[in-house]
Amino acid sequence: FKEPAPEMLQIHPTTGQIRLKDGARFDYETAHEINFVVLVTTLDSSSRPHEQHVRIKLTDINDELPEFVNKPQPFLATVSTNAAPGTSVYQLMAQDADDDSLVKYELDSGGEDRFEVDAENGVVRTKGNQPFHLGKEYEIGVSARDTRADSLQKSPTHSLKIYVGQRDPQFFKTQYVASVPETARENT
């Protein structure tokens, strides 16, 4: 190899066969192709080395799990006591790094049969005609699944806590920092 050589590859000095090093693997999500230069010389070293440009194009395989992008975790939502059936209470959002993925959403557990998840768009809705009781908190388990994968590719189950009534404000970080000039006036 002409420097810099790809760290994951090795080349046989006499046959020129290029191989992955033991334990190395390609990752399409990190790099779609690998470009490098090989120096080719004769066995007797009588001629100048020839540079051969090599490009390896990777093909994406569906190998990544969907991941939720919702924050904070556990997911938090509220519902009113008189919410009608079909009322939207939360929007699940997940991404899959694979190009050919199709993410669908699932209700894995909980909710006392009071909630449903739209598999296509991730909207969590109320169901049933019974009123919700103020102060009660429901907890449901939700997940995202890649339906185009050859094998089961499903996110871990995440908790969505749905409180009946008003919930305290939610913060995504444990600390927030702001700068205020010492000359700031009142109510600035």
Side-chain angles (χ1 to χ4, degrees), residues 107-116 127 132 136-141 160 162:
L107 174 63
D108 293 337
S109 63
E112 300 174 23
D113 203 31
R114 301 299 311 272
F115 301 95
E116 61 189 3
K127 65 185 239 187
F132 290 93
K136 181 171 176 71
E137 184 172 68
Y138 296 88
E139 185 171 2
I140 63 175
L160 168 58
I162 305 167

Side-chain angles (χ1 to χ4, degrees), residues 73-136:
Q73 293 183 11
F75 309 143
L76 303 174
T78 60
V79 65
S80 66
T81 55
N82 59 351
T87 300
S88 174
V89 296
Y90 196 79
Q91 171 72 57
L92 297 168
M93 291 181 285
Q95 296 176 338
D96 189 311
D98 293 310
D99 288 342
D100 62 340
S101 64
L102 178 61
V103 175
K104 300 236 178 169
Y105 301 91
E106 298 177 355
L107 174 63
D108 293 337
S109 63
E112 300 174 23
D113 203 31
R114 301 299 311 272
F115 301 95
E116 61 189 3
V117 175
D118 187 310
E120 302 298 322
N121 61 26
V123 173
V124 178
R125 293 186 179 93
T126 59
K127 65 185 239 187
N129 292 316
Q130 298 297 317
F132 290 93
H133 299 289
L134 186 63
K136 181 171 176 71

Side-chain angles (χ1 to χ4, degrees), residues 139-154:
E139 185 171 2
I140 63 175
V142 294
S143 61
R145 183 172 49 93
D146 181 357
T147 59
R148 290 194 178 147
D150 292 334
S151 60
L152 179 63
Q153 290 185 5
K154 184 176 176 178

